[in-house]
Amino acid sequence: MVVVTGQNKVSGNPDDAMSSSDAEDDFQEPATPTATQAGQALPLLPQQFPEVVPLNVGGMYFATRLSTLRRYEDTMLAAMFSGRHYIPTDAEGRYFIDRDGTYFGDILNFLRSGDLPPRERVRSVYKEAQYYSIGPLLDNLEDIQPLKGEKVRQAFLGLMPYYKDHLERIIEIAKLRAMQRKARFAKLKVCVFKEEMPITPYECPHFNSLRFERSESETKLFEHHCEVDVSFGPWEAVADVYDLLHCIVTDLSDRGITVDHQCIGVCDKHLINHYYCKRPIYEFKITWW
């Protein structure tokens, strides 16, 4: 009799006929490889690297010293080439990094000698530095244009309540109107106002002065919603309405949206007595194709 178990070898006379259980074994799925078998298929760790490391980054070839890749300890590159991790190689033996290599040369130049990329590549290199977790390069890039100016701009936009939500609303309204009308473009009205209180010809307010000249009960008398699709404001900063309009158009353009805008008047809604809303109204025209 032939006895088959999960761990023991088959026992019995080799000349015996094959039993039904043997036939079934022929159709069983192979067992999961053991750790020993898996270890035979992959190189053993830790991985050893040459002093000069050939690299294939997304199909682009580079070569650099191992010490360059390990320049800063807390980076992804230092961890990858520490020997603790396995890195695959291509057919030519180059160590492969599955990442677009367009700006990897700028990464290497910084690791080699601290060189920074030209202005037109700063944003792109910054994204790569984030991916590779190169803190010193990130710090240097944040102190030069255009990233330094972007930090100032974001500080201003931080004063805008729901700024990003309003951008999304502009896009959604414009898309819906264009689809409903089967048109190339869509128009919507946007109010951008800096002062919290309405301005009238009878007042010459200083910066935010109206806000402090009226009591809370008087302020409620002036509360209203302009008849527009989206409204931005108020805010307290030196930056004016045109600065915020520039931010809105820039952020929409960065998302591939073509937008033109022009002032078409003011709200002019009657409030109380001789007071009228004088918040500027802009027409946004978004072209989809």
Side-chain angles (χ1 to χ4, degrees):
M1 179 182 292
V2 178
V3 179
V4 179
T5 65
Q7 297 179 350
N8 297 329
K9 296 182 180 179
V10 178
S11 60
N13 192 326
D15 295 332
D16 292 343
M18 179 181 294
S19 66
S20 60
S21 62
D22 292 331
E24 293 176 356
D25 287 344
D26 288 344
F27 296 94
Q28 292 179 354
E29 294 183 0
T32 302
T34 63
T36 301
Q37 293 171 334
Q40 294 173 352
L42 296 174
L44 298 177
L45 299 179
Q47 193 172 12
Q48 300 296 321
F49 299 101
E51 183 177 355
V52 177
V53 182
L55 298 169
N56 178 345
V57 185
M60 300 183 67
Y61 305 141
F62 302 89
T64 189
R65 293 176 64 91
L66 180 60
S67 58
T68 299
L69 297 172
R70 296 175 176 176
R71 177 79 64 190
Y72 299 103
E73 294 181 358
D74 297 331
T75 67
M76 180 186 293
L77 290 173
M80 290 173 64
F81 290 90
S82 64
R84 300 190 303 270
H85 307 282
Y86 171 71
I87 303 178
T89 56
D90 63 13
E92 302 299 326
R94 291 178 286 253
Y95 295 96
F96 181 72
I97 299 177
D98 194 9
R99 181 77 175 175
D100 187 350
T102 304
Y103 302 101
F104 192 75
D106 293 301
I107 298 293
L108 286 182
N109 287 336
F110 177 79
L111 294 177
R112 289 165 175 154
S113 55
D115 293 342
L116 297 177
R119 177 170 178 169
E120 62 270 17
R121 296 207 300 268
V122 166
R123 292 182 185 274
S124 298
V125 175
Y126 186 82
K127 293 180 180 179
E128 295 304 297
Q130 287 179 313
Y131 176 79
Y132 293 110
S133 301
I134 306 176
L137 177 54
L138 291 172
D139 293 339
N140 278 272
L141 293 177
E142 288 174 356
D143 284 336
I144 62 176
Q145 290 285 46
L147 294 183
K148 192 175 184 65
E150 181 62 19
K151 290 175 67 175
V152 177
R153 191 178 80 97
Q154 290 299 328
F156 162 59
L157 292 179
L159 302 175
M160 299 294 108
Y162 311 111
Y163 175 77
K164 293 183 179 179
D165 294 337
H166 291 341
L167 287 182
E168 294 297 331
R169 181 168 174 78
I170 289 175
I171 296 171
E172 289 301 317
I173 293 175
K175 180 175 69 174
L176 180 61
R177 288 180 180 171
M179 293 180 66
Q180 289 176 339
R181 301 170 184 175
K182 309 299 186 294
R184 289 182 58 230
F185 60 86
K187 295 180 179 180
L188 63 160
K189 294 180 179 180
V190 178
C191 178
V192 182
F193 65 100
K194 180 176 179 179
E195 298 291 343
E196 184 174 6
M197 301 301 296
I199 299 175
T200 75
Y202 305 98
E203 299 173 310
C204 296
H206 297 291
F207 177 70
N208 277 334
S209 60
L210 290 176
R211 183 182 178 202
F212 302 102
E213 291 178 353
R214 296 184 177 128
S215 65
E216 183 177 350
S217 60
E218 289 175 326
T219 299
K220 292 182 179 180
L221 295 175
F222 294 90
E223 290 181 352
H224 76 289
H225 297 284
C226 302
E227 295 179 359
V228 295
D229 297 297
V230 183
S231 185
F232 292 85
W235 67 88
E236 297 182 24
V238 175
D240 59 20
V241 169
Y242 299 102
D243 296 321
L244 182 57
L245 283 170
H246 180 272
C247 292
I248 296 172
V249 173
T250 298
D251 289 335
L252 291 175
S253 299
D254 287 344
R255 299 182 58 173
I257 297 175
T258 303
V259 54
D260 296 311
H261 69 281
Q262 61 177 344
C263 183
I264 58 175
V266 295
C267 178
D268 206 29
K269 184 176 181 180
H270 181 253
L271 301 177
I272 60 172
N273 298 329
H274 298 293
Y275 292 99
Y276 294 83
C277 177
K278 295 300 178 183
R279 294 169 180 171
I281 306 298
Y282 293 85
E283 181 183 75
F284 275 47
K285 178 182 177 181
I286 293 180
T287 303
W288 290 105
W289 82 85

